Amino acid sequence: MAALSRKWDPLFVLVLGSLVFSCKGDVLKTSNDRTESISATKIEESSPQAADLGDLRQSDEAESNEDRKAFTPPPPNDQFQEEMVIRPLYSGDIYASFQFRTQWDTDFLHDGKKVSHYRLFPKSLGQVLSKFSVRELHISFTQGYWRTMQWGQPFIPSPPGAELWVWFHHTVTDVDGNWKELTNVLSGIFCASLNFIDSTNTVEPSASFKPLGLGNATDHRFLRYATLPREIVCTENLTPWKKLLPCGSKAGLAVLMKSEKLFHSSFHSQAVHIRPVCKDWQCTSTAWELRQTLNVVFDLYTSGQGKKEWSLFKMFSRTLTEACPLASSSKIYVDVTDNPGGELFDLSPSSPLISTAVVLGDRRTYSVYDLTKKETFGQLRSLNLLLRWKGESDDMLRPPLHAERYVSGFGLQKGEIHTCLYNSHPYRAYPVLLLDSLPWYLRLYVHTLTVTSKTRENKPSYIHYQPSKDRLRPHLLEMLVQLPPHSVTEVTVQFERALLKWTEYTPDPNHGFYIGSSVISALVPSIVAMDTNSTRDRPLFSSFFPTKEESSYFMRVYTEPLLVNLPTPDFSMPYNVICLTCTVVAVGYGSFYNLLTRTFQVDEPSAPLAKRLANIIRRLRGVPLL
Amino acid sequence: MAAPLTLVLILSVTIRAVLFRSSLAELISERVEVVSPLNAWKRVVEGLALLDLGVSPYSGDVFHETPLVIYLFHFVVDYAEIVFMVSTFEFSGKYNLFIKQKYALEADRYPHDCLELMRSPKEMHYIPLKVAMFYLLNPFTILSCVAKSTCGLNNAVMALFILSTLKGSALLSAIFLALATYQSIYPLTLFAPGLLFLLQRLYIPVNPCRSRFWFFTVQYSVMFIGSLLVIVCLSFFLLGSWDFIPSVYGFILSVPDLTPNIGLFWYFFAEMFEHFRFFFICVFQINVFFYTIPLSVKLKEHPVFLIFMQIAIISIFKSYPTVGDIALYMAFLPVWSHLYRFLRNIFLVSCVLLACTALFPVLWHLWIYAGSANSNFYYAITLLFNVGQILLVSDYFYAYLRREHHLSQGLYLRRKDGSEATLVLK
C-alpha cells in the first residue's frame, strides 16, 4: 500500500504543479461551462457604471490634458479599479486591505513594438517591464508578521521584510544579468534596499512559485526569488508606491494613506503585482494587470481602552469625499458575515448593497459602498464608516493551515531548525510544498532532515535540494509533504554556524542574522465551491490567486523569519591578530633557518676586557703576554 | 615481543570500543580540535546523503573529501571496524622503523667515545613496541578515531608509504605517496625523503653528475606521477566530472572555511584585510612546502629524520590541522629516544602542550556556550599550542644535528687549552 502511494507521489507533484496556476485554454473552457451552475460570486450592483465612467474619464481628460489636445487621443485601452476591504478581526483588531488594479490592453512583449504612450499605467514600471523582458513581477514590503492564528488568512500573504519574485520571458538569455539590473532599478523606484539582492540570497524554486498570470511556464530557470527579511518598511517606501497610482494620494481611496497612521499599526504590507491576464473570459486577447495592494492591521482594541469600535477617521484620520475620477469602479467592502441580523455590531451609515463572494474557501457577506455614487457620501459629502460592537463574538474558525518555525539548541556551534505545519482540517489530508531558502553561513546537513507527523516518520514524496556554495549561493530545500488530517507535522534539520570574515558581519553582529521565512504553498480543501472563472467580475480581493478547481483553493503561508546568532571574531584587533600570527610563523621559520644555516662550533670564549688591556700594555712594554 | 604487542593492541581496541559505545562519542565527534571541515564524519555522511539524493556532493560546500573516499564508504558501512584496521596498519608501519636503526648501528666509523650515543640492541628491540604504544594509546589518536575522522585513513596511507619506503619497495612507496598526496596535497613534500631513502638503500650517491642518480630519480617520479594520474582519472570516471578538483584542492589551498581549529589559518584569515588576503594565503601555503628544499639539503644523509620533520611541519602549518595529524608525528618520538640527552626544553614544551590540550575545551566552552569569553581566548591558546609544537620540533632538529656533530667530533670536546668546551651554533 505504502509502495503504491509512493509511486503516485511524483505524479501528484506534477498534477499539483500544473493545477496551481496554469491557465490553459481547455481547462478554462470546461470551467466556463460550469459557471452557470456554480454562481459562487454574486454581485448585486448596477451596470450603468460603464456609461458613467466613460463620461467621467472623458471629462477628466478634457480638463487635465488640454495641452495635449493637438495629439489624437489614444483609445481608452486601460482601466483602473480601486477597492478597500475592512474586516473586523476576532482579536479586536481591524484589517483594512486596499487593492488598486490597473489593466492595460497592450502587449509589448509579443508585438515587439515600443510603447511610448502611457496613460494610467505607470511609465516607470512599464519601461522596466519592457527593458528587462519581465513576464511577471511580484514585490512586497512588509513590516510586522501576519498572525494567522489570531487574524485568519490575509487576502494576499507576504513575508516580513521585502520579497521579490520575477518570471522572465523565455527569450531572455542572461537571466542573472537581467535580474541583477532589475533589482537595482526597483531599488531606485521603491527607495528600498533591493540592491542587496545578489546571488547569495537568490534562488530558483522548482515548484513553489508558479506564474499567477497567463502562460504555464514551468522552466524555473526563468524564475528568480529573493527575500530580504531585515528590510525595514517606512514612509520612504510608501511615497513612491503611492506615486504609481493614477490619482496619486490626491483623490479616491488613497487619500486615507497617511503614513503617520499607517505605520502606527501592528502589521503593514504593501505590494505590487504585475502579470499578464486574459482580457475577456474567452481569452482572445491579453492585458497587463498591475495590482497595488496595501494591507494594514490596526490595533484599535488596546489603544481604544478596550472598546471595540472603529471608524475610518479613527483609523486613518481622514474621511472619504470622492472616488478617484479615473477609476472605473471604486468600492469599500465591509465584512458583515458574522452579523446577519445586526445583533453583533452596528455599521453606520448602513448600505443597501450587499455582496457575497467566495473568499479563501469560505462564503462571506459584505456591505458595499460605491464611491462613484453621490448618495454614498450623504448630506455631509463625506463618508466616515463607523462600527460599534454590541455583543461578544464567538471563536474564530481556525484557518485550515498554518505554520510556525523556530531554532532550537544552545551555543554558537550548531542548531536545529524546527518547522511545524498544522493541518486543522478535521478529515482531509492534503499535500503542501515547503520551501526553505537558507543563507550559506548556516551549513545545512540534509541527512539530518526528519519529517514526523503524529510521532511517525512522514517521508516527503519529493525533495529538491540545492546545497549552498560559500559566499555564492544559498541553500534551497523544497519538499512535498502530505499533511494528515488534524495533525502537526514537524520538519527538523540541523545546521552548523559558520565563522565569517570580519568584514562579512552586519554592523551589529551580536544582534544576529535574519533568515527569511519558509514558504508553504498548498491547495487547501475548500468549504464551499470555489469560483473557477477567472475573468468574471468579482471583487478584486477574491480573485488574486486563480482557481482551477472548485473543491480546493490555493493558499500560501509564510513562517516567522528567524534570528540566528553566529560566532563572532573580535572586530577590534585585526592588526594584533595579523602581527601575532605572523610572529608565530616567524618563530617557526626563524628556528628552522637558524638550525639549517649554522653549524656547531666549539665556543672559544674571548678573554675578559681587563686581561686584553693588560696584554696590550704588555705588548707595548715588550714583556711576554699573559 | 609479540605478547606485549598483542596486549597493547587489545587494550587500544578496548578503549576505542568502549568510547564508541559511550555517550562521549557524539561529543567528541563535534569537537573542532578533533575534526576539521575536511575530514569530519558528519560531512562524509552528508556527502553520501547528497549522492543518494542525486545531487553531486561537490555542488555544495559541505563535502570536501576525495571521490575515492566517498565511494569507499558508499560500499563499506561498518566504518568503526575500518578505523581499527587503520590503526593496526599504522602500528605495523612503525614496526619496521627499526630496520633503519640497525642500519645506522652497523656503521662503526664513529670515534670510540661515542659508544654511549649508540643504542644497545636491547633498546632497539623495544622501539617498535614503543612506537605502537605511542600511536595506539595516544589520546589524540583515540579521540580522532572515536570521532571517525577520516584523518585516520590519511595517517594509514602515510604509514603505508613509510613502511614500503623502509622496506625498499620503490613502486609501492610511489603508489602510497600518490594516494597520500591525492588525499591532501601536503604529503607531496614527502617525495624528497622517500627518494633520498631509496637512493641510500640502493647505495646510489646523491650526485647530480651521476647518471644512475638521475635514472632512479626519473624512475621514481614517473611511478609517482603515473599512479597519481591513475588515481585522479579513476575518481573522474567514478564521478563523471572534475568538480572535485576545486572542491577538494581549491578548498585546501584557498581556505574559504574559517571554522575554528587548532591551526594558524582560521583566525588570521577571519581578521585579514580583504586586499591582502590572496598575498597572505600564498605566503602561508608556500611556507608549508618551502622547508622541503633546505631540509632535504641538510638532512640528505638522514631521510627518516627528514620524513619526521616534514610530517611535523605539515601538521603544524597545514590549513585545516587536527589532533590526528599531530598524533602521526608524535608516534615518531620514541624512535628518537637516543636524542633525549640533547633536548633543551622538553619539559617546558610538554607542559605547554599538556596545558593547551586541557585549555582548548575550556576556552571553547567559554566562548561558544557560556559567552563569557570571546574568540581571542581560543585564538590565544591555538597560538600557544603552535608555538609549543614548533619548539618541540626545532628542539628535536637541534638535538639530531648535535648528535651528528658529536658522532663525528667525539662526545667530550676540548678547547685548544684543554678545558671542557661548549658547543654553539655559528
Side-chain angles (χ1 to χ4, degrees), chain A residues 414 473 502 570 581 603, chain B residues 30 59 271 376 379 415 422:
Chain A
K414 50 184 185 156
R473 192 175 72 188
W502 69 304
D570 187 343
T581 310
D603 185 25
Chain B
E30 276 167 358
S59 63
E271 296 269 3
N376 293 343
Y379 164 67
R415 285 211 195 95
T422 48

Side-chain angles (χ1 to χ4, degrees), chain B residues 122-380:
Chain B
K122 199 181 165 201
E123 271 176 63
M124 297 290 295
H125 187 67
Y126 284 112
I127 281 180
L129 183 64
K130 280 191 197 159
V131 169
M133 267 176 66
F134 247 69
Y135 188 75
L136 291 177
L137 300 179
N138 188 339
F140 288 163
T141 328
I142 294 173
L143 286 177
S144 173
C145 176
V146 172
K148 295 183 186 173
S149 156
T150 55
C151 182
L153 277 182
N154 299 355
N155 285 359
V157 174
M158 298 260 256
L160 284 172
F161 158 70
I162 296 165
L163 173 65
S164 50
T165 313
L166 295 180
K167 291 267 190 197
S169 160
L171 180 65
L172 277 181
S173 152
I175 289 174
F176 284 120
L177 181 60
L179 257 179
T181 311
Y182 166 77
Q183 282 292 331
S184 61
I185 31 184
Y186 295 114
L188 183 67
T189 58
L190 295 177
F191 180 82
L195 178 68
L196 285 173
F197 186 88
L198 290 170
L199 284 171
Q200 201 176 61
R201 220 183 131 82
L202 295 169
Y203 300 105
I204 303 169
V206 183
N207 184 354
C209 305
R210 300 278 284 274
S211 63
R212 255 185 98 202
F213 165 75
W214 284 113
F215 178 71
F216 187 77
T217 308
V218 169
Q219 195 186 1
Y220 190 63
S221 324
V222 166
M223 280 192 285
F224 169 68
I225 293 168
S227 40
L228 193 60
L229 275 180
V230 166
I231 295 166
V232 170
C233 291
L234 184 66
S235 4
F236 170 73
F237 291 124
L238 276 176
L239 200 71
S241 78
W242 293 109
D243 284 351
F244 70 96
I245 300 274
S247 186
V248 178
Y249 306 116
F251 183 79
I252 293 172
L253 291 177
S254 69
V255 206
D257 191 324
L258 303 172
T259 311
N261 56 35
I262 54 172
L264 293 168
F265 278 67
W266 64 277
Y267 205 55
F268 186 69
F269 288 106
E271 296 269 3
M272 179 50 63
F273 299 102
E274 204 51 44
H275 43 284
F276 291 130
R277 196 181 164 74
F278 182 68
F279 169 73
F280 274 105
I281 280 186
C282 292
V283 169
F284 271 51
Q285 297 289 8
I286 289 169
N287 183 44
V288 188
F289 292 97
F290 177 72
Y291 294 112
T292 315
I293 302 162
L295 280 176
S296 309
V297 172
K298 184 94 177 176
L299 293 171
K300 66 173 184 281
E301 305 294 326
H302 314 283
V304 177
F305 191 75
L306 182 54
I307 289 180
F308 163 74
M309 286 296 295
Q310 290 291 354
I311 293 176
I313 285 170
I314 289 171
S315 77
I316 296 169
F317 292 118
K318 75 190 280 191
S319 45
Y320 301 101
T322 58
V323 290
D325 300 308
I326 294 163
L328 182 62
Y329 82 80
M330 281 198 168
F332 273 88
L333 296 185
V335 179
W336 321 119
S337 56
H338 54 288
L339 301 179
Y340 284 158
R341 62 183 295 166
F342 299 117
L343 292 178
R344 289 169 299 182
N345 39 20
I346 186 70
F347 177 70
L348 178 76
V349 166
S350 17
C351 287
V352 164
L353 292 183
L354 280 176
C356 288
T357 314
L359 279 174
F360 271 129
V362 173
L363 294 179
W364 178 259
H365 182 86
L366 288 183
W367 173 28
I368 295 294
Y369 292 102
S372 50
N374 68 9
S375 46
N376 293 343
F377 287 64
Y378 192 76
Y379 164 67

Side-chain angles (χ1 to χ4, degrees), chain A residues 219-241:
Chain A
D219 192 350
H220 61 264
R221 280 179 302 145
F222 298 104
L223 169 66
R224 291 292 179 275
Y225 173 82
T227 51
L228 295 173
R230 209 185 181 172
E231 180 72 8
I232 289 165
V233 185
C234 204
T235 323
E236 76 267 20
N237 305 110
L238 183 66
T239 312
W241 184 88

Side-chain angles (χ1 to χ4, degrees), chain A residues 410-414 443-448 463 465-471 473 475 494-496 499-503 567-582 584-585 587-589 591-592 594-605, chain B residues 30 32 42-43 45-46 49-50 53 55 58-62 256-258 264 266-274 277 280 284 287 291 294-295 298 309 313 364 367-369 374-376 379 383 387 390 393-394 397-398 401-402 405 415-416 421-426:
Chain A
F410 61 95
L412 297 175
Q413 192 180 4
K414 50 184 185 156
R443 297 185 202 286
L444 213 60
Y445 288 101
V446 80
H447 73 269
T448 59
I463 294 184
Y465 178 63
Q466 191 189 38
S468 70
K469 275 269 182 205
D470 283 4
R471 301 171 180 95
R473 192 175 72 188
H475 300 274
Q494 290 177 16
F495 65 89
E496 209 175 83
L499 182 77
L500 310 183
K501 296 176 196 165
W502 69 304
T503 45
T568 51
D570 187 343
F571 296 98
S572 62
M573 48 181 280
Y575 288 103
N576 303 8
V577 169
I578 292 167
C579 292
L580 288 171
T581 310
C582 286
V584 170
V585 173
V587 166
Y589 179 81
S591 49
F592 290 134
N594 224 356
L595 291 163
L596 284 166
T597 52
R598 300 183 185 196
T599 51
F600 283 102
Q601 280 172 14
V602 174
D603 185 25
E604 296 286 353
Chain B
E30 276 167 358
V32 286
K42 202 176 179 183
R43 295 190 182 231
V45 176
E46 175 73 10
L50 288 179
L53 275 177
V55 183
Y58 299 104
S59 63
D61 248 346
V62 166
D257 191 324
L258 303 172
L264 293 168
W266 64 277
Y267 205 55
F268 186 69
F269 288 106
E271 296 269 3
M272 179 50 63
F273 299 102
E274 204 51 44
R277 196 181 164 74
F280 274 105
F284 271 51
N287 183 44
Y291 294 112
L295 280 176
K298 184 94 177 176
M309 286 296 295
I313 285 170
W364 178 259
W367 173 28
I368 295 294
Y369 292 102
N374 68 9
S375 46
N376 293 343
Y379 164 67
L383 274 191
V387 169
I390 287 168
V393 173
S394 58
F397 191 22
Y398 169 84
L401 291 179
R402 177 139 184 205
H405 183 78
R415 285 211 195 95
K416 281 177 225 153
T422 48
L423 269 183
V424 286
L425 274 174
K426 263 184 188 164

Side-chain angles (χ1 to χ4, degrees), chain A residues 275-542:
Chain A
R275 58 178 176 175
V277 292
C278 286
K279 208 166 85 177
D280 45 16
W281 59 274
Q282 279 159 330
C283 217
T284 48
S285 60
T286 57
W288 280 96
E289 183 197 72
L290 162 70
R291 256 184 217 240
Q292 286 181 258
T293 65
L294 190 141
N295 294 296
V296 59
V297 174
F298 291 104
D299 183 8
L300 294 179
Y301 186 58
T302 45
S303 61
Q305 284 88 40
K307 268 196 277 178
K308 275 180 148 184
E309 67 174 60
W310 56 264
S311 66
L312 282 187
F313 188 76
K314 243 181 161 175
M315 286 193 284
F316 301 104
S317 69
R318 287 283 184 292
T319 55
L320 287 168
T321 51
E322 54 167 349
C324 170
L326 300 169
S328 61
S329 102
S330 175
K331 293 194 185 103
I332 296 178
Y333 294 83
V334 181
D335 194 333
V336 291
T337 318
D338 306 316
N339 192 32
E343 69 272 4
L344 213 54
F345 52 76
D346 272 339
L347 186 62
S348 68
S350 60
S351 165
L353 285 176
I354 295 290
S355 148
T356 54
V358 178
V359 184
L360 302 168
D362 195 8
R363 179 168 283 121
R364 312 291 298 180
T365 315
Y366 295 94
S367 272
V368 185
Y369 297 84
D370 194 339
L371 300 186
T372 51
K373 289 186 182 159
K374 287 273 185 301
E375 58 266 30
T376 311
F377 297 102
Q379 307 260 305
L380 293 166
R381 304 194 64 75
S382 89
L383 177 66
N384 182 22
L385 281 173
L386 188 82
L387 188 140
R388 249 190 219 99
W389 283 82
K390 289 195 289 193
E392 279 297 306
S393 57
D394 25 312
D395 274 350
M396 180 186 66
L397 195 70
R398 292 189 70 170
L401 171 70
H402 84 276
E404 54 192 39
R405 190 161 71 143
Y406 58 91
V407 172
S408 70
F410 61 95
L412 297 175
Q413 192 180 4
K414 50 184 185 156
E416 194 168 42
I417 296 177
H418 292 248
T419 312
C420 298
L421 310 169
Y422 295 83
N423 177 3
S424 316
H425 202 284
Y427 52 86
R428 284 279 299 273
Y430 52 85
V432 295
L433 269 170
L434 175 68
L435 172 116
D436 250 321
S437 158
L438 296 164
W440 63 268
Y441 39 78
L442 301 189
R443 297 185 202 286
L444 213 60
Y445 288 101
V446 80
H447 73 269
T448 59
L449 177 76
T450 59
V451 185
T452 42
S453 6
K454 295 185 169 170
T455 68
R456 237 177 300 150
E457 198 197 341
N458 181 356
K459 205 168 177 294
S461 46
Y462 165 77
I463 294 184
H464 172 75
Y465 178 63
Q466 191 189 38
S468 70
K469 275 269 182 205
D470 283 4
R471 301 171 180 95
L472 214 66
R473 192 175 72 188
H475 300 274
L476 169 67
L477 180 59
E478 258 185 310
M479 55 185 144
L480 185 70
V481 186
Q482 182 84 10
L483 302 187
H486 199 73
S487 68
V488 187
T489 303
E490 193 173 20
V491 180
T492 62
V493 63
Q494 290 177 16
F495 65 89
E496 209 175 83
R497 300 160 205 250
L499 182 77
L500 310 183
K501 296 176 196 165
W502 69 304
T503 45
E504 285 170 338
Y505 286 89
T506 48
D508 49 350
N510 290 309
H511 177 76
F513 286 73
Y514 284 89
I515 313 296
S517 310
S518 316
V519 188
I520 295 136
S521 319
L523 279 176
V524 178
S526 166
I527 296 168
V528 294
M530 294 299 294
D531 186 1
T532 53
N533 186 346
S534 57
T535 50
R536 273 186 50 163
D537 205 6
R538 289 187 288 171
L540 296 178
F541 59 87
S542 71

Side-chain angles (χ1 to χ4, degrees), chain A residues 48-95:
Chain A
Q49 239 191 68
D52 270 4
L53 270 166
D55 296 348
L56 245 171
R57 209 181 287 148
Q58 274 164 17
S59 63
D60 174 67
E61 270 177 6
E63 279 164 23
S64 60
N65 296 341
E66 271 174 331
D67 51 334
R68 285 204 223 150
K69 272 280 155 76
F71 301 103
T72 50
N77 58 355
D78 45 4
Q79 53 162 326
F80 175 65
Q81 290 169 280
E82 57 178 7
E83 178 179 294
M84 173 164 80
V85 197
I86 297 174
R87 190 163 89 191
L89 299 171
Y90 291 87
S91 58
D93 303 305
I94 311 296
Y95 173 32

